[in-house]
Amino acid sequence: QVQLVESGGGLVQAGESLRLSCAASGRIFSINTMAWYRQTPGKQRELVAAITSGGRTNYADSVKGRFTISRDYAENTVYLQMNSLKPEDTAVYYCNAAIRTMTSGYGMDYWGKGTLVTVSL
Protein backbone atom coordinates (compact mmCIF):
# COMPACT_ATOMS: atom_id res chain seq x y z
CA GLN A 1 0.00 0.00 0.00
CA VAL A 2 2.19 2.80 1.35
CA GLN A 3 5.84 2.95 2.25
CA LEU A 4 7.75 5.57 4.23
CA VAL A 5 11.52 5.62 3.84
CA GLU A 6 13.77 7.73 6.07
CA SER A 7 17.30 8.85 5.31
CA GLY A 8 19.92 11.23 6.66
CA GLY A 9 20.76 9.70 10.01
CA GLY A 10 24.34 9.26 11.14
CA LEU A 11 27.01 10.01 13.71
CA VAL A 12 27.85 13.63 14.52
CA GLN A 13 29.46 15.60 17.31
CA ALA A 14 27.58 17.90 19.65
CA GLY A 15 26.85 21.24 18.04
CA GLU A 16 26.74 19.86 14.51
CA SER A 17 23.73 19.46 12.23
CA LEU A 18 21.84 16.76 10.36
CA ARG A 19 18.92 16.81 7.97
CA LEU A 20 16.51 13.90 7.93
CA SER A 21 14.27 13.11 4.98
CA CYS A 22 11.21 10.89 4.68
CA ALA A 23 9.56 10.08 1.37
CA ALA A 24 6.13 8.49 1.15
CA SER A 25 5.29 6.36 -1.87
CA GLY A 26 2.53 4.05 -3.03
CA ARG A 27 -1.15 4.39 -3.83
CA ILE A 28 -1.54 7.68 -1.98
CA PHE A 29 -4.68 9.75 -2.32
CA SER A 30 -3.83 12.38 0.27
CA ILE A 31 -1.64 13.00 3.31
CA ASN A 32 -2.74 14.97 6.32
CA THR A 33 -0.19 15.39 9.09
CA MET A 34 3.41 14.25 8.74
CA ALA A 35 5.61 13.97 11.79
CA TRP A 36 8.89 12.85 13.28
CA TYR A 37 9.12 10.76 16.43
CA ARG A 38 12.16 9.45 18.25
CA GLN A 39 12.85 6.63 20.64
CA THR A 40 15.75 5.60 22.87
CA PRO A 41 16.06 2.11 24.37
CA GLY A 42 14.12 2.04 27.62
CA LYS A 43 12.18 5.19 26.80
CA GLN A 44 8.75 5.69 25.27
CA ARG A 45 8.55 6.99 21.74
CA GLU A 46 8.03 10.76 21.75
CA LEU A 47 6.81 13.30 19.23
CA VAL A 48 9.61 15.56 18.01
CA ALA A 49 7.83 17.68 15.42
CA ALA A 50 4.71 17.62 13.27
CA ILE A 51 3.43 19.54 10.28
CA THR A 52 -0.15 19.60 8.98
CA SER A 53 -1.38 19.67 5.40
CA GLY A 54 -1.83 23.41 5.87
CA GLY A 55 1.75 23.95 6.99
CA ARG A 56 1.14 24.45 10.70
CA THR A 57 3.93 23.08 12.88
CA ASN A 58 4.32 21.75 16.39
CA TYR A 59 7.53 20.96 18.27
CA ALA A 60 8.57 19.26 21.45
CA ASP A 61 9.84 21.79 23.97
CA SER A 62 13.24 20.13 24.02
CA VAL A 63 13.88 20.88 20.33
CA LYS A 64 12.23 24.27 19.87
CA GLY A 65 14.64 26.76 18.34
CA ARG A 66 16.98 24.00 17.16
CA PHE A 67 14.89 21.77 14.88
CA THR A 68 12.77 22.76 11.90
CA ILE A 69 10.21 20.55 10.17
CA SER A 70 9.15 21.18 6.58
CA ARG A 71 7.54 19.28 3.73
CA ASP A 72 7.43 19.09 -0.04
CA TYR A 73 3.76 18.55 -0.80
CA ALA A 74 4.32 17.65 -4.44
CA GLU A 75 6.85 14.94 -3.56
CA ASN A 76 5.12 13.64 -0.41
CA THR A 77 8.30 14.24 1.53
CA VAL A 78 8.91 15.61 5.02
CA TYR A 79 12.20 16.92 6.37
CA LEU A 80 13.67 17.56 9.78
CA GLN A 81 16.56 20.00 9.96
CA MET A 82 18.39 19.41 13.23
CA ASN A 83 20.85 22.08 14.36
CA SER A 84 22.91 22.44 17.53
CA LEU A 85 22.57 18.75 18.21
CA LYS A 86 23.06 17.48 21.75
CA PRO A 87 23.93 14.01 23.06
CA GLU A 88 20.39 13.89 24.46
CA ASP A 89 19.10 13.93 20.87
CA THR A 90 20.59 10.49 20.26
CA ALA A 91 17.77 8.17 19.24
CA VAL A 92 16.14 6.29 16.41
CA TYR A 93 14.03 8.78 14.51
CA TYR A 94 10.81 7.56 12.91
CA CYS A 95 8.74 9.15 10.20
CA ASN A 96 4.97 9.09 10.64
CA ALA A 97 2.16 10.13 8.32
CA ALA A 98 -1.63 10.04 8.30
CA ILE A 99 -2.48 8.84 4.80
CA ARG A 100 -5.61 8.08 2.79
CA THR A 101 -4.91 5.57 0.02
CA MET A 102 -6.52 5.10 -3.38
CA THR A 103 -8.04 1.85 -2.13
CA SER A 104 -9.53 2.77 1.24
CA GLY A 105 -11.95 5.56 2.02
CA TYR A 106 -10.29 6.44 5.30
CA GLY A 107 -6.94 7.57 6.57
CA MET A 108 -4.56 5.67 8.80
CA ASP A 109 -1.09 6.00 10.29
CA TYR A 110 1.99 4.71 8.52
CA TRP A 111 5.49 4.44 9.96
CA GLY A 112 8.97 4.29 8.55
CA LYS A 113 11.52 1.78 9.81
CA GLY A 114 13.56 4.51 11.48
CA THR A 115 16.99 6.07 11.05
CA LEU A 116 19.60 6.24 13.80
CA VAL A 117 20.99 9.57 14.95
CA THR A 118 23.96 9.46 17.31
CA VAL A 119 25.38 12.63 18.84
CA SER A 120 28.69 12.36 20.66
CA LEU A 121 30.54 14.86 22.84
Side-chain angles (χ1 to χ4, degrees):
Q1 277 276 16
V2 174
Q3 181 178 218
L4 300 180
V5 180
E6 303 104 332
S7 63
L11 173 62
V12 298
Q13 293 186 356
E16 296 182 341
S17 300
L18 279 176
R19 190 191 191 202
L20 305 183
S21 299
C22 172
S25 62
R27 296 177 57 79
I28 298 171
F29 178 75
S30 63
I31 302 177
N32 190 9
T33 299
M34 301 189 81
W36 289 96
Y37 288 74
R38 66 186 181 187
Q39 186 169 27
T40 301
K43 185 179 180 181
Q44 188 173 13
R45 186 174 300 184
E46 65 173 343
L47 175 67
V48 177
I51 182 167
T52 69
S53 60
R56 299 182 65 180
T57 59
N58 184 45
Y59 298 92
D61 289 340
S62 60
V63 307
K64 286 183 178 178
R66 298 189 297 122
F67 291 10
T68 302
I69 188 171
S70 61
R71 64 192 285 179
D72 185 329
Y73 295 90
E75 297 297 326
N76 292 328
T77 301
V78 64
Y79 304 94
L80 185 66
Q81 178 66 45
M82 304 184 293
N83 298 327
S84 301
L85 282 163
K86 305 175 181 180
E88 302 85 76
D89 296 318
T90 296
V92 175
Y93 284 71
Y94 296 91
C95 179
N96 168 261
I99 299 174
R100 184 188 299 275
T101 69
M102 297 291 189
T103 303
S104 65
Y106 57 91
M108 61 184 294
D109 281 352
Y110 289 86
W111 292 88
K113 294 182 178 180
T115 184
L116 177 63
V117 173
T118 302
V119 184
S120 64
L121 289 171

